[in-house]
Amino acid sequence: MAERDQLEVDVLFVGAGPASLAGALRLGQLAKDAKRALEILVIEKGSEIGSHGISGAVMDPRALDELLPDWRESAPVESPVTTDELWYLTSGGRIKAPITPPPLRNHGKYVASLQKISKWLGDKAEEAGAQVFPAFPGQELLWDGDRVIGVRTGDKGLDHNGNPKSNYEPGADILAKVVVLGEGPRGTLAKQAIARLKLDDGREPQVYAAGIKELWQLPDDRFKAGAVVHTLGYPLPPETFGGGFIYGMADNVLDIGHVTGLDYKNPTTDPHNELQRMKQHPVIAAMLDGAKLIRYGAKAIPEGGLFAMPRLYADGLLLVGDSGGFLNGMRLKGIHLAMKSGMLAAETIWDALRAENCDAQMLSAFERLFNQSWAHAELRTSRNFHQGFKNGLLPGMINAGLSTLTGGRGFGVADKLPAEPGYEVMEKAGYKPAETPRAKIDGVLTFDKLTDVYNSGTMHEEDQPSHLIVTDTTICRDRCTVEYGNPCRYFCPAAVYEPMFEKNGDAVEGRLQINFTNCVHCKTCDIIDPYQIITWVPPQGGEGPVYTGM
């Protein structure tokens, strides 16, 4: 094989989301003010900056106000929030909350597309002196003992057996004094670092939800830009965490989505199906009458809160954004926290570079800065939010209300409520599990997974190694089929997993078909698989979804 190129920089940010881009921009500002030249590099697996960016999103501008005070003059936000409503959906109606709970009051916030915000931040980071390269996925960390010294980017041009083709290009080794991981939830490199360095020792397990989202072009202005609605209840059963969101975007585009906690009990729970069922609700169906689906996407959401955040630093390494758990589940917001984490990381790195010392002790200042910041204060008030829903919707809502009054304690007698990994909550169901209700697919209001994958813009070359690695498919055949009924065919929102198993007497025969070209990069399989034998790694650079406007 060809030799790998080697590139040395001062600081490498992996993942071009709001955390990394805000960090690169802030570091560039500090260097410019001090008239010091720094090599700052941001690499991103998507084909363009922002193409893999997906969020709700109602954006709190607090971090942007600090980073770029004049951002309102150029940032591509859709609209200021104009109205806030909370609905409880029954199977046929809705109950509008007379008072919007304080965490969901969005006066002064902005409806935004994360894809557009990320692209704009990328331009700002480059203006500040950073280099921002799309189509470069971080494949593995480079180590010197237990010190992170860089990242190897993914190879291109390998066939499905991993052999070089005529267009083979080996990935590069990028060496850096500090590597900052902002890969989003369940990041490939962050997962490697957390496991090797035991960064989660003494922390609560991270819990996640799956957010499924569609953009619809409305025929008129029936849903005003800046209008914000959150929903509870239908279509989820009371024991399953989750809810819906409906946001009015510019140009009569409706942003509609549903979040399902990835700590559900029923193995036939299907997050994609829950959004389709939500759209069949009479109120929602009327809202979408005559509209056209224009985009689809999915993303995992780290909901564990303050006590589930891993240690954020190691020798030569920092974790930011969703990779570090910077998300407020109670407020349904993470963009401002991700940006603040990147900014604090930049200030930590600046001091470390000036001291010519980037070891763990020096970089631990990141956690101290975080603990002294408004980001920590905010996450502390929501620290027990998701955990309060362990016994269902009503106890969870009571706990959320108490948390608002008690500064986050809720009904916990201790400072924190215990949590358990979502994959441990799933109940074994036998070979024929009782299926959750299925949406009727009509191709107008509701769509099957393959149609939605098409609407995500997802593209992967077929002749390459699968980026979804199942370490032992005999477990899928011999155990999962019998014990759980192969929940991968439900939990994946892109129809990637196709169990082709049949029961033959006491034995199960067949194979697991992995349609990796469908993958929308949500990481749900890596998170919720009950045997934890699925590992998601990046495919060839530039491949995957194209989340325009998401």
Side-chain angles (χ1 to χ4, degrees):
M1 289 190 179
E3 289 188 8
R4 298 182 183 278
D5 290 335
Q6 192 172 93
L7 173 66
E8 293 188 25
V9 298
D10 291 303
V11 184
L12 172 63
F13 290 85
V14 182
S20 289
L21 293 172
L25 172 53
R26 179 63 183 137
L27 191 55
Q29 291 173 339
L30 291 168
K32 184 177 180 180
D33 290 345
K35 295 181 171 58
R36 175 174 174 177
L38 282 184
E39 290 287 337
I40 305 166
L41 178 61
V42 183
I43 60 172
E44 159 62 30
K45 64 183 175 70
S47 58
E48 296 181 358
I49 303 306
S51 65
H52 289 179
I54 177 173
S55 183
V58 174
M59 184 182 72
D60 186 329
R62 187 169 187 177
L64 259 182
D65 285 339
E66 296 177 5
L67 182 64
L68 294 168
D70 61 350
W71 66 269
R72 289 170 179 81
E73 298 175 7
S74 61
V77 294
E78 302 291 307
S79 170
V81 173
T82 54
T83 60
D84 267 316
E85 295 183 14
L86 176 64
W87 298 348
Y88 179 83
L89 298 180
T90 65
S91 59
R94 68 171 178 177
I95 302 170
K96 180 182 173 182
I99 300 174
T100 302
L104 296 180
R105 293 175 189 167
N106 291 299
H107 177 74
K109 313 303 186 292
Y110 292 80
V111 177
S113 154
L114 182 59
Q115 177 263 327
K116 294 179 183 178
I117 291 292
S118 296
K119 185 176 180 180
W120 173 79
L121 273 175
D123 292 340
K124 293 296 183 182
E126 289 188 320
E127 290 173 10
Q131 299 180 76
V132 184
F133 290 167
F136 278 86
Q139 196 74 33
E140 60 179 297
L141 291 169
L142 301 176
W143 301 86
D144 180 5
D146 282 338
R147 181 187 185 91
V148 175
I149 60 170
V151 168
R152 176 166 292 173
T153 63
D155 296 344
K156 295 183 180 180
L158 296 175
D159 67 17
H160 63 281
N161 292 318
N163 299 316
K165 297 187 290 189
S166 59
N167 62 339
Y168 173 70
E169 295 180 26
D173 287 346
I174 306 174
L175 305 180
K177 296 167 185 173
V178 183
V179 173
V180 185
L181 300 182
E183 307 167 278
R186 197 73 159 192
T188 298
L189 304 185
K191 187 178 175 182
Q192 293 173 19
I194 290 169
R196 176 164 173 164
L197 303 176
K198 297 180 171 53
L199 300 181
D200 55 354
D201 273 7
R203 312 295 169 108
E204 290 293 302
Q206 184 61 266
V207 292
Y208 297 86
I212 314 298
K213 174 179 168 180
E214 294 175 349
L215 294 183
W216 286 72
Q217 181 66 59
L218 299 178
D220 50 43
D221 63 352
R222 67 186 69 172
F223 201 93
K224 303 297 183 182
V228 169
V229 173
H230 293 104
T231 74
L232 295 170
Y234 180 88
L236 291 179
E239 67 269 16
T240 302
F241 174 87
F245 59 89
I246 310 167
Y247 304 152
M249 310 285 274
D251 302 319
N252 295 333
V253 171
L254 190 69
D255 179 338
I256 184 167
H258 192 273
V259 173
T260 303
L262 295 179
D263 50 359
Y264 51 76
K265 296 180 180 180
N266 189 328
T268 70
T269 299
D270 183 333
H272 174 273
N273 176 63
E274 300 308 334
L275 174 59
Q276 306 313 306
R277 293 181 64 212
M278 174 184 167
K279 291 185 296 178
Q280 289 180 321
H281 188 279
V283 173
I284 312 299
M287 193 181 298
L288 294 173
D289 184 39
K292 180 182 179 182
L293 175 66
I294 55 177
R295 219 59 175 166
Y296 167 80
K299 176 185 184 289
I301 305 166
E303 294 252 352
L306 186 65
F307 294 122
M309 298 175 72
R311 176 157 58 89
L312 300 171
Y313 62 90
D315 288 331
L317 178 72
L318 293 176
L319 303 180
V320 296
D322 280 359
S323 293
F326 286 88
L327 183 131
N328 186 334
M330 182 182 285
R331 294 184 66 207
L332 308 177
K333 290 179 179 60
I335 294 175
H336 69 300
L337 293 167
M339 293 183 63
K340 183 63 173 177
S341 73
M343 294 156 64
L344 295 175
E347 292 163 15
T348 302
I349 293 166
W350 177 246
D351 289 341
L353 292 175
R354 287 196 301 166
E356 297 184 353
N357 179 7
C358 298
D359 65 11
Q361 183 175 357
M362 190 73 189
L363 295 180
S364 69
F366 178 44
E367 223 164 59
R368 292 196 298 273
L369 288 174
F370 166 55
N371 290 340
Q372 297 163 6
S373 72
W374 55 258
H376 183 277
E378 177 180 327
L379 286 172
R380 182 159 178 78
T381 63
S382 62
R383 63 190 182 274
N384 289 319
F385 173 70
H386 189 107
Q387 292 81 349
F389 287 85
K390 179 178 180 180
N391 295 313
L393 177 61
L394 182 58
M397 293 302 296
I398 294 172
N399 177 68
L402 289 173
S403 292
T404 302
L405 298 174
T406 61
R409 184 182 296 274
F411 49 47
V413 293
D415 194 44
K416 63 181 176 181
L417 295 177
E420 55 188 323
Y423 61 85
E424 291 185 356
V425 178
M426 190 183 295
E427 294 179 344
K428 295 182 178 180
Y431 185 65
K432 293 287 186 182
E435 288 204 27
T436 54
R438 314 302 296 172
K440 182 180 179 181
I441 304 303
D442 61 14
V444 178
L445 178 66
T446 55
F447 301 90
D448 60 28
K449 292 179 180 180
L450 292 180
T451 301
D452 265 339
V453 168
Y454 173 80
N455 284 300
S456 72
T458 295
M459 293 290 291
H460 296 90
E461 184 180 337
E462 292 192 12
D463 188 19
Q464 66 173 299
S466 172
H467 65 279
L468 297 155
I469 302 167
V470 182
T471 54
D472 186 353
T473 58
T474 64
I475 291 176
C476 308
R477 182 193 65 205
D478 298 338
R479 293 184 56 191
C480 192
T481 301
V482 176
E483 294 174 348
Y484 292 100
N486 302 123
C488 60
R489 59 196 170 111
Y490 299 102
F491 62 58
C492 175
V496 167
Y497 300 95
E498 190 177 353
M500 304 174 73
F501 302 130
E502 292 185 4
K503 202 169 184 181
N504 185 5
D506 293 332
V508 178
E509 299 175 346
R511 65 186 182 89
L512 176 66
Q513 173 73 28
I514 302 177
N515 305 308
F516 71 87
T517 56
N518 293 356
C519 178
V520 295
H521 296 203
C522 68
K523 317 285 185 67
T524 298
C525 57
D526 194 306
I527 293 165
I528 193 61
D529 163 46
Y531 301 98
Q532 291 295 281
I533 58 173
I534 300 175
T535 299
W536 190 99
V537 299
Q540 291 184 145
E543 299 187 343
V546 181
Y547 283 149
T548 305
M550 296 292 271

